[in-house]
Amino acid sequence: MSYRGRFAPSPTGPLHFGSLVSALASWLDARAHDGVWLVRIEDIDGPRTVPGAAEDILSTLDRFGLRADEPPIWQSARLARYQQALDQLRGAGLVYPCGCTRKEISDSLLNAHTRNTTLAYPGTCRTGLHGKPARAWRLRVPDEGDGERTEKRAAGTSEPRSATITFEDRWQGMQTQNLATEVGDFVLRRADDQWAYQLAVVVDDADADITHIVRGADLMDSTARQIYLQRCLSVPTPAYLHVPVVTNSQGEKLSKQTGATALDTSRPLDALHAAARHLKLEMNGQTHSSLESFYNAAIKAWASGVE
Ligand code: GLU
């Protein structure tokens, strides 16, 4: 198997320290495996995309010496592929249109006394729209406990049947999520006519033959959904590694919303040394004065720490 990894920033603002950590970790993992490293610009969330941010991120990565081995992929150029994937799922009867508003969903969760214990979509539109206009498309997930019974029936087929998804994260260890109780049928096409992140990421990773995903642990919670979707689309599941997220002094994930500042591109080595410390790379406390010597040491340190 030849290693293919990627860094997939959303252009909601300039690259900040938290996203540098993800970029560096995925780049180091690719280099440590003699692999290929790609950059994908996740620019399909219209309301959150900031004009010029993608170009700014690409030039910052370049300034830091993190250069993709193939031209960047832009999600905005791939909308037809997301439609094809949805059509494939429709053809297999795995998705349905949903007419629920956020308020209706939270009201029905309240009625079911499940509020605060689970935020899983209660499946209201599984049986039809009940006269409401279609707003979104949802992927049907198996009911709780459906797993074992239907897994037997589906034996020998690649049909996804179990609500419980288990995977081994290369950094965080074994992970399990029950999609029926913790997530519910999830959205692939949003009510505001945008493609959902979950669908786009799975289609893009599969089309780019990505074998290893290295990203921030804030995305851990999405991984079970993505693995389930891979099974529905009959595409391979990559290996996953989620690095600890960078938080601010209030313990919030560093992001544009929590006040993350742009990286100082005039001093890339300062931020890179800090990112290596965050990733707990054994660099023997050494400070490097060139990108080349920093990266040589960092690749070795990464390779000795992960499989
Ligand atoms: N675009 C996502 C983000 O910036 C990352 C997606 C991924 O790595 O799967 O949070």
Side-chain angles (χ1 to χ4, degrees), residues 6 8-10 40 42 197 201 213 215 218-219 226 253:
R6 64 12 170 229
S10 301
R40 180 172 73 233
E42 303 216 318
Y197 156 69
V201 80
I213 292 180
R215 59 187 180 186
D218 53 312
L219 292 162
Q226 293 170 14
K253 184 203 154 200

Side-chain angles (χ1 to χ4, degrees), residues 245-261:
V245 287
V246 180
T247 51
N248 64 15
S249 52
Q250 277 90 56
E252 301 160 323
K253 184 203 154 200
L254 216 57
S255 71
K256 208 181 95 192
Q257 290 72 28
T258 58
T261 49

Side-chain angles (χ1 to χ4, degrees), residues 103-150:
K103 179 156 186 337
E104 284 166 337
I105 297 170
S106 65
D107 285 354
S108 64
L109 289 173
L110 252 179
N111 291 341
H113 302 292
T114 49
R115 203 153 188 210
N116 299 328
T117 57
T118 174
L119 291 172
Y121 175 67
T124 319
C125 293
R126 271 188 174 193
T127 51
L129 284 162
H130 309 286
K132 292 184 287 190
R135 292 165 46 83
W137 281 87
R138 288 183 186 272
L139 182 72
R140 190 188 294 269
V141 303
D143 292 327
E144 196 188 359
D146 239 12
E148 270 117 69
R149 253 182 335 202
T150 46

